[in-house]
Amino acid sequence: MAERQQQRILPTVADTEAFGRELAADLGAGDLVVLDGPLGAGKTALTRGIAEGLGVQGRVSSPTFIIARQHRAGQREGAAPVPLVHVDAYRLGGDLDELDALDLDTDLHQAVVVVEWGKGVVEHLAERHLYVLLSREPNSEVRTAIWEWVG
């Protein structure tokens, strides 16, 4: 059952990261976050915020050239620590068998998995997922996020 779709205007990159921290408060082991939107829409900035909210270790950057990055669990206020797996599905070309072949140290069911470019590719990895569509106004830092839990 899909929950009600929500929308928020994010005037700056800092606002996008803060929104990610808010989303992280509702995420736990086994959760899948599917990020969609064009280049420059803020997918990695949102993931940085999610990572900060989860308290994971390590710098969060785009996984474009390595396909997936793992971030170990760190201290998390008010919730159990959970690792983050950050994936770029664009490079996977729709073949999630490649994700299994990456030999990740983290079991995906014990982590929060954030997948950029994941729409139509990764939804079957979990019974439900958080879908976030990001867009960016031309020649501006202002972004819009539309999100909902699906499944």
Side-chain angles (χ1 to χ4, degrees):
M1 165 175 123
E3 294 182 18
R4 186 177 64 83
Q5 193 176 72
Q6 299 178 65
Q7 179 175 325
R8 181 175 303 175
I9 303 299
L10 305 165
T12 67
V13 172
D15 292 318
T16 303
E17 292 171 347
F19 176 56
R21 289 190 298 275
E22 287 178 37
L23 291 177
D26 293 327
L27 297 174
D31 283 336
L32 173 65
V33 180
V34 178
L35 302 182
D36 193 16
L39 283 172
K43 295 180 292 293
T44 300
L46 184 65
T47 304
R48 277 195 307 268
I50 291 171
E52 186 178 321
L54 293 175
V56 300
Q57 300 176 13
R59 181 177 160 267
V60 173
S61 59
S62 176
T64 300
F65 297 106
I66 58 138
I67 301 176
R69 292 185 188 274
Q70 301 174 79
H71 300 276
R72 290 181 304 178
Q75 296 300 312
R76 184 175 180 196
E77 194 171 320
V82 61
L84 171 72
V85 176
H86 183 196
V87 179
D88 182 343
Y90 187 80
R91 292 271 318 274
L92 289 176
D95 183 4
L96 285 185
D97 291 336
E98 284 188 45
L99 188 55
D100 289 333
L102 293 176
D103 195 27
L104 298 172
D105 292 333
T106 303
D107 179 347
L108 298 181
H109 299 294
Q110 296 175 353
V112 170
V113 179
V114 176
V115 184
E116 296 188 23
W117 306 99
K119 184 178 181 190
V121 179
V122 298
E123 292 87 349
H124 70 278
L125 291 176
E127 288 184 21
R128 74 177 198 140
H129 64 278
L130 178 62
Y131 174 70
V132 183
L133 173 62
L134 292 160
S135 60
R136 182 174 172 182
E137 293 180 17
N139 303 313
S140 171
E141 288 298 313
V142 177
R143 292 165 170 85
T144 300
I146 299 172
W147 74 99
E148 66 182 324
W149 281 97
V150 180

